[in-house]
mmCIF file of all heavy atoms in Angstrom:
data_model
loop_
_atom_site.group_PDB
_atom_site.id
_atom_site.type_symbol
_atom_site.label_atom_id
_atom_site.label_comp_id
_atom_site.label_asym_id
_atom_site.label_seq_id
_atom_site.Cartn_x
_atom_site.Cartn_y
_atom_site.Cartn_z
ATOM 1 N N PHE L 5 130.099 102.466 92.730
ATOM 2 C CA PHE L 5 129.137 102.389 91.627
ATOM 3 C C PHE L 5 127.764 102.888 92.048
ATOM 4 O O PHE L 5 127.144 103.703 91.376
ATOM 5 C CB PHE L 5 129.040 100.937 91.120
ATOM 6 C CG PHE L 5 127.961 100.721 90.098
ATOM 7 C CD1 PHE L 5 128.131 101.145 88.788
ATOM 8 C CD2 PHE L 5 126.770 100.100 90.444
ATOM 9 C CE1 PHE L 5 127.140 100.950 87.841
ATOM 10 C CE2 PHE L 5 125.774 99.898 89.509
ATOM 11 C CZ PHE L 5 125.963 100.322 88.204
ATOM 12 N N TYR L 35 110.154 94.769 109.117
ATOM 13 C CA TYR L 35 110.331 94.341 110.503
ATOM 14 C C TYR L 35 109.002 94.464 111.237
ATOM 15 O O TYR L 35 108.202 95.363 110.994
ATOM 16 C CB TYR L 35 111.405 95.180 111.207
ATOM 17 C CG TYR L 35 111.148 96.660 111.202
ATOM 18 C CD1 TYR L 35 110.517 97.278 112.275
ATOM 19 C CD2 TYR L 35 111.520 97.442 110.112
ATOM 20 C CE1 TYR L 35 110.270 98.642 112.265
ATOM 21 C CE2 TYR L 35 111.269 98.800 110.094
ATOM 22 C CZ TYR L 35 110.652 99.392 111.163
ATOM 23 O OH TYR L 35 110.386 100.733 111.152
ATOM 24 N N ARG L 66 99.662 97.490 94.765
ATOM 25 C CA ARG L 66 100.991 97.114 95.257
ATOM 26 C C ARG L 66 100.944 95.691 95.801
ATOM 27 O O ARG L 66 100.002 95.328 96.511
ATOM 28 C CB ARG L 66 101.439 98.089 96.347
ATOM 29 C CG ARG L 66 102.824 97.820 96.942
ATOM 30 C CD ARG L 66 103.091 98.838 98.035
ATOM 31 N NE ARG L 66 104.326 98.620 98.748
ATOM 32 C CZ ARG L 66 105.464 99.262 98.526
ATOM 33 N NH1 ARG L 66 105.505 100.198 97.587
ATOM 34 N NH2 ARG L 66 106.550 99.006 99.234
ATOM 35 N N SER L 76 111.433 86.422 122.104
ATOM 36 C CA SER L 76 111.446 86.887 123.478
ATOM 37 C C SER L 76 111.940 85.722 124.322
ATOM 38 O O SER L 76 111.251 84.698 124.417
ATOM 39 C CB SER L 76 110.046 87.322 123.920
ATOM 40 O OG SER L 76 110.046 87.750 125.256
ATOM 41 N N LYS L 82 108.049 83.361 113.157
ATOM 42 C CA LYS L 82 108.484 83.804 111.830
ATOM 43 C C LYS L 82 107.280 83.753 110.909
ATOM 44 O O LYS L 82 106.629 82.713 110.782
ATOM 45 C CB LYS L 82 109.601 82.909 111.288
ATOM 46 C CG LYS L 82 110.144 83.361 109.936
ATOM 47 C CD LYS L 82 111.304 82.478 109.501
ATOM 48 C CE LYS L 82 111.884 82.936 108.166
ATOM 49 N NZ LYS L 82 113.023 82.070 107.743
ATOM 50 N N ASN L 83 106.974 84.884 110.285
ATOM 51 C CA ASN L 83 105.810 84.992 109.401
ATOM 52 C C ASN L 83 106.293 85.339 107.993
ATOM 53 O O ASN L 83 106.725 86.458 107.735
ATOM 54 C CB ASN L 83 104.861 86.070 109.927
ATOM 55 C CG ASN L 83 103.557 86.137 109.148
ATOM 56 O OD1 ASN L 83 103.426 85.537 108.092
ATOM 57 N ND2 ASN L 83 102.602 86.896 109.666
ATOM 58 N N SER L 84 106.225 84.387 107.094
ATOM 59 C CA SER L 84 106.583 84.607 105.685
ATOM 60 C C SER L 84 105.298 84.957 104.936
ATOM 61 O O SER L 84 104.574 84.077 104.480
ATOM 62 C CB SER L 84 107.236 83.363 105.098
ATOM 63 O OG SER L 84 108.405 83.029 105.811
ATOM 64 N N PRO L 142 105.210 75.382 126.563
ATOM 65 C CA PRO L 142 103.962 75.319 127.336
ATOM 66 C C PRO L 142 103.873 76.423 128.385
ATOM 67 O O PRO L 142 102.785 76.983 128.606
ATOM 68 C CB PRO L 142 104.026 73.933 127.976
ATOM 69 C CG PRO L 142 104.865 73.125 127.036
ATOM 70 C CD PRO L 142 105.900 74.085 126.529
ATOM 71 N N VAL L 172 109.348 109.628 98.483
ATOM 72 C CA VAL L 172 109.679 110.590 97.436
ATOM 73 C C VAL L 172 110.018 109.836 96.154
ATOM 74 O O VAL L 172 110.649 108.779 96.185
ATOM 75 C CB VAL L 172 110.848 111.502 97.862
ATOM 76 C CG1 VAL L 172 112.102 110.695 98.153
ATOM 77 C CG2 VAL L 172 111.127 112.576 96.812
ATOM 78 N N THR L 196 97.468 96.228 111.175
ATOM 79 C CA THR L 196 96.612 95.047 111.023
ATOM 80 C C THR L 196 95.359 95.225 111.871
ATOM 81 O O THR L 196 95.301 96.103 112.732
ATOM 82 C CB THR L 196 97.347 93.765 111.449
ATOM 83 O OG1 THR L 196 97.552 93.772 112.870
ATOM 84 C CG2 THR L 196 98.698 93.661 110.745
#
Side-chain angles (χ1 to χ4, degrees):
F5 173 76
Y35 57 95
R66 181 182 175 99
S76 179
K82 183 177 181 180
N83 186 349
S84 300
V172 60
T196 69

